Each structure stands twice: as C-alpha cells, then as structure tokens.
Amino acid sequence: MSGQGQRLNVVPTVTVLGVVKSRLIGATKGHQLLKKKSDALTVQFRQILKRIVQAKETMGESLRASSFSLTEAKYTAGENIKHIVLENVNGSASVRVRSKQDNVAGVKLPKFEFFIDNGESKNNLTGLSRGGQQIQLCRSSFIRAIEVLVELASLQTSFLTLDEAIKTTNRRVNALENVVKPKLENTISYIKGELDELEREEFFRLKKIQGFKKREVEKQMLLNKKYAEESVMKQASFSNDGGVSG
C-alpha cells in the first residue's frame, strides 16, 4: 500500500497522540463523504451520458426533418423564399437561450434553457400569398432542431464539468485512502510504541529506585541496630566500672 512505512515527524507524547487521532477521525469522515460524493456524481454522469446518446439520435432526426421541410418549402414557395423570410424579420431573435446552474453534490453544473420570446413578430404572415403553411411548418421544424441542439449543448457542458469533478474527487479519495490515512495510522502506531517503551523504562526505573531505597533502609536499620548494641555495651561497661570502684 502506498504510504506504508511513512509517518509524520512528531514528538511521541500523549497530547500529540490525541491530536493525530483526531486528524485520523477527520480524514476517515472526509474519505467517506468524498466517496459518497464520487458515487453520486458517477450516477449523475451515467444518466447524462444516456441522455446525450438519446439527444444525438433525436438531433439527427430533427435536422433531417427540418432539411426535408426546407426543401418542401422551397418547392412550394419558390426559390424566392429567402427574400420572403428576410423581409419579415423584425431584427430581434424570437428564439433565445438562458443559462442557470444546477447543484449536484456540491458541483455546479451549467444548464441552458430554450425559450421563445413572445414579442411582436410578422412571421405569421410570411408566405401568405404562396406556400405560407409550408414555411410555417419549416420554421417549426427548425425551432425543434434548435431546441434539441440547446439541450445537447447543455448536456455536453454538464458532462465535461462532471467528468472533471469526478476526476478531482477520485484523486482526493485516493490521496486520503492511500497516503493520508496510512501515514496517520503509522504515526499513531509509532507514538503508541514509543509511549509503551517509555512506560517500560519508567517502570524499570521505579523498580530500581524502590530496590535502592529498600537497600538503604535495610542498611540504615543495620546501622541503627549496631549503634544500639554498642550503646548497650557501653552502658553495661560503665555500670561495671562503677561497681568495681565502689
């Protein structure tokens, strides 16, 4: 495992042990949350990929239908359809796109929405004299194609954003799992080992001190006993000397 044998350069104390344990708990929770985030993003990623495939299929059908509708309109209204349409354009687009953002597990995904501005328009009178119905059908076909294109652009932008977010999240998950957590665990093991060694050394030192104190007490007791015996002997000798003199 990556990170095995590595540890933080710390002083092996009880306080530092508590701090490293807290960091390990935080890293574990962070790893779990990032793993859940990665799973949620992956699910959304697959859903968007499926919708992209469907949108591309729909786009092909819409562009084919709109191209065929344009051919029909040209056949019905004549080759002057371009001039007829340009004459009825009022200068501002009626088909518009607005953007907003969706939040998926903390990742902001751009989303494009298609809408039609219901302003003043003369398109309803386009081709009134000749082929008007076919021109309106052609217009509706191209509006549908634009709607599909906007949806596809929104899905592909979200797809790329999610792909980058998933890569970043997975890198963080792997870093926590293979580097940060093993390093903290190795540090905790090192500190515990050092503290156990210090505890054994302290126990051995206390035993040595107790043995030394015990020997000192025994030595002092022997000295006291010897001093007492000498005192008694001196007292007895003094008493005997006093009796002889009398």
Side-chain angles (χ1 to χ4, degrees):
M1 178 184 292
S2 177
Q4 188 173 3
Q6 298 180 359
R7 62 175 178 82
L8 301 176
N9 188 14
V10 296
V11 179
T13 61
V14 177
T15 303
V16 175
L17 178 62
V19 173
V20 176
K21 282 184 176 180
S22 299
R23 291 181 61 182
L24 179 60
I25 292 173
T28 303
K29 290 182 179 179
H31 176 265
Q32 293 173 352
L33 291 175
L34 286 175
K35 189 67 176 175
K36 291 180 180 178
K37 178 180 178 179
S38 178
D39 294 340
L41 293 178
T42 303
V43 171
Q44 187 70 18
F45 183 81
R46 291 174 180 172
Q47 292 177 354
I48 289 179
L49 180 60
K50 183 177 180 181
R51 291 173 60 190
I52 286 176
V53 174
Q54 295 174 350
K56 286 186 176 181
E57 294 175 354
T58 305
M59 180 187 68
E61 296 174 358
S62 298
L63 291 177
R64 184 166 54 250
S66 59
S67 298
F68 183 74
S69 179
L70 178 60
T71 303
E72 288 182 338
K74 286 182 178 180
Y75 178 78
T76 305
E79 291 298 328
N80 292 327
I81 183 175
K82 178 179 179 181
H83 302 289
I84 295 173
V85 172
L86 290 176
E87 287 176 359
N88 289 272
V89 173
N90 59 8
S92 62
S94 59
V95 178
R96 299 178 181 272
V97 178
R98 58 182 166 221
S99 64
K100 66 176 187 178
Q101 288 184 337
D102 286 343
N103 195 326
V104 178
V107 178
K108 294 182 179 180
L109 300 179
K111 184 176 181 181
F112 306 132
E113 286 186 346
F114 164 91
F115 71 100
I116 298 177
D117 188 4
N118 295 322
E120 182 181 357
S121 175
K122 299 187 293 182
N123 289 332
N124 292 332
L125 302 178
T126 304
L128 186 61
S129 61
R130 183 182 177 190
Q133 182 179 3
Q134 200 60 43
I135 292 175
Q136 294 300 324
L137 290 176
C138 179
R139 177 176 180 270
S140 299
S141 298
F142 273 96
I143 288 176
R144 172 58 184 161
I146 292 174
E147 183 179 358
V148 175
L149 286 173
V150 170
E151 181 184 2
L152 182 59
S154 177
L155 290 173
Q156 287 186 332
T157 304
S158 299
F159 180 85
L160 294 175
T161 305
L162 270 180
D163 183 47
E164 188 63 30
I166 289 173
K167 289 179 181 178
T168 303
T169 304
N170 287 339
R171 282 196 295 267
R172 292 175 179 174
V173 170
N174 292 333
L176 285 172
E177 183 177 356
N178 299 322
V179 178
V180 177
K181 289 179 63 179
K183 185 175 290 187
L184 292 174
E185 290 169 355
N186 292 337
T187 304
I188 290 174
S189 299
Y190 162 73
I191 294 175
K192 285 183 177 180
E194 291 296 317
L195 291 177
D196 290 341
E197 184 66 25
L198 290 174
E199 186 176 354
R200 287 192 292 270
E201 290 178 358
E202 183 68 15
F203 178 77
F204 180 76
R205 187 178 68 85
L206 291 176
K207 290 288 288 183
K208 293 287 288 184
I209 291 175
Q210 288 178 354
F212 177 76
K213 287 183 176 181
K214 184 177 180 181
R215 289 193 298 272
E216 288 294 321
V217 169
E218 291 176 352
K219 184 178 179 181
Q220 188 65 35
M221 289 178 64
L222 289 175
L223 290 175
N224 292 339
K225 184 178 180 181
K226 185 177 180 181
Y227 178 75
E229 290 176 351
E230 290 178 353
S231 298
V232 170
M233 291 177 64
K234 288 181 179 181
Q235 186 69 24
S237 177
F238 180 75
S239 298
N240 294 332
D241 292 341
V244 172
S245 299

